[in-house]
Amino acid sequence: NNVGLQNTIEQQLPLLKATFLSRLINSEFNSSDEMNQLCHNISIPTDDHMYCILIIKFDLSYDSYDTLDLTVITTFKHLLKSVLTEIKDDLTYCDIDEQQFAILFSYTSCSKEKFKEHAENLVSLIQSKISTNIVDSIIITGGSIVNQLFLITDSYEKAKTAFKMNSADSHSSILWYKEAENHKITYYFPVEIQNKLMNNVKQGNKQGVKEILELLFNHNFIKLNLSTSLQKLFIYNLLSIIVKLSSQMEVEEKIYVHLIAVID
């Protein structure tokens, strides 16, 4: 019976690990004893190790994949998971949503610099196994490094926050959350996009205006997931475009006054 049970566990190990990690990052364990017992059953180390969460996210704003649908993303995710199993069959990972999934990376206790180096090596190996166009369409973040598995929720939250930080390092494959730095989180509305938007409005190009607004919406409200205050700042900037155009076109003042009132 014990042998049969062990064989069943081994066959279901990927699913068990995915379920475990999903519960872990969402703080669904009632006690550390319960967590440690499951770790023992599915061969996740709990002693003398360091941990962090890596999040792999498909960037739908990448130029080559403007029309990505969920079917294609799902195919890419299956491919990446197959690569993970091929290069390191004891990795633990789970889906977060349709667009991203989390990896629990662990390594024997060492310096944080050494730990990051090993994580970078893993990511580089993953990237070497997949095509360039897929590599270019994903973003990978790393959360805080912790020395206790029950602290991994904090690493997960900071890995999510890292998507919003201006902390890119050209020498790193991972966008790491940086504890000691003050990061400027702002909205996306570069001058060239503002000018392009104004030109399309003046030309009466409705399709062009629609595409720019969709780009701004996806970048600010989905990719960056702006806070409420930053959402308002972005919208005020957008409204300022209307005010600028009002001096050149027949735009009634009451229109943008009403919009400002609604935002407030």
Side-chain angles (χ1 to χ4, degrees):
N1 287 339
N2 287 337
V3 173
L5 179 60
Q6 187 61 40
N7 289 336
T8 301
I9 289 176
E10 289 178 2
Q11 291 172 6
Q12 299 296 322
L13 201 54
L15 178 59
L16 291 172
K17 284 190 170 186
T19 303
F20 168 82
L21 182 55
S22 180
R23 292 184 62 192
L24 186 64
I25 62 179
N26 290 296
S27 301
E28 294 178 0
F29 284 107
N30 296 319
S31 68
S32 57
D33 288 341
E34 179 189 9
M35 180 195 72
N36 287 333
Q37 182 59 51
L38 275 174
C39 286
H40 174 73
N41 291 340
I42 60 178
S43 303
I44 293 178
T46 56
D47 297 321
D48 195 31
H49 271 69
M50 300 169 71
Y51 313 87
C52 82
I53 291 293
L54 304 176
I55 295 179
I56 298 182
K57 180 176 182 178
F58 290 91
D59 182 8
L60 298 185
S61 67
Y62 180 66
D63 291 342
S64 297
Y65 295 110
D66 284 340
T67 58
L68 263 183
D69 59 30
L70 293 181
T71 303
V72 178
I73 295 174
T74 301
T75 301
F76 282 0
K77 285 172 71 175
H78 283 313
L79 172 62
L80 280 171
K81 290 175 182 179
S82 296
V83 169
L84 292 177
T85 302
E86 176 189 341
I87 63 178
K88 203 173 189 303
D89 61 7
D90 61 344
L91 274 177
T92 301
Y93 50 84
C94 70
D95 287 319
I96 297 173
D97 55 31
E98 296 91 345
Q99 197 175 332
Q100 54 189 335
F101 64 94
I103 299 173
L104 173 64
F105 182 75
S106 64
Y107 199 80
T108 307
S109 294
C110 57
S111 68
K112 287 188 176 182
E113 291 73 20
K114 197 70 177 176
F115 181 92
K116 285 186 176 182
E117 182 182 328
H118 287 292
E120 294 278 358
N121 290 339
L122 172 67
V123 169
S124 295
L125 187 55
I126 293 171
Q127 292 175 334
S128 70
K129 298 284 186 178
I130 57 180
S131 60
T132 303
N133 61 335
I134 298 178
V135 171
D136 290 340
S137 64
I138 61 175
I139 302 173
I140 303 175
T141 63
S144 53
I145 299 168
V146 297
N147 56 13
Q148 298 291 333
L149 197 53
F150 68 83
L151 298 174
I152 206 66
T153 301
D154 181 65
S155 181
Y156 171 59
E157 292 299 325
K158 288 176 178 174
K160 292 194 296 183
T161 302
F163 283 113
K164 307 175 187 178
M165 292 182 167
N166 297 329
S167 56
D169 183 346
S170 59
H171 301 294
S172 173
S173 301
I174 301 172
L175 186 63
W176 289 101
Y177 177 89
K178 297 183 179 178
E179 303 271 3
E181 296 184 8
N182 294 320
H183 298 277
K184 181 182 179 183
I185 303 176
T186 187
Y187 56 83
Y188 172 80
F189 201 5
V191 175
E192 61 267 25
I193 296 295
Q194 296 181 33
N195 292 335
K196 187 175 180 180
L197 177 61
M198 293 180 69
N199 289 334
N200 275 276
V201 171
K202 292 176 185 178
Q203 295 166 10
N205 184 354
K206 294 182 180 180
Q207 183 60 32
V209 171
K210 180 182 177 181
E211 290 175 358
I212 293 171
L213 292 177
E214 287 178 348
L215 169 68
L216 291 171
F217 176 82
N218 288 329
H219 205 104
N220 287 297
F221 292 86
I222 297 177
K223 181 179 178 181
L224 294 179
N225 191 22
L226 296 176
S227 65
T228 302
S229 59
L230 282 175
Q231 287 178 17
K232 285 190 173 184
L233 286 175
F234 163 70
I235 293 173
Y236 280 133
N237 197 348
L238 191 58
L239 287 174
S240 72
I241 299 295
I242 298 176
V243 176
K244 291 177 183 178
L245 289 169
S246 67
S247 63
Q248 306 169 42
M249 305 175 66
E250 295 182 1
V251 179
E252 295 182 10
E253 181 179 350
K254 65 180 181 181
I255 293 177
Y256 59 81
V257 169
H258 170 72
L259 289 173
I260 293 173
V262 170
I263 294 171
D264 288 335

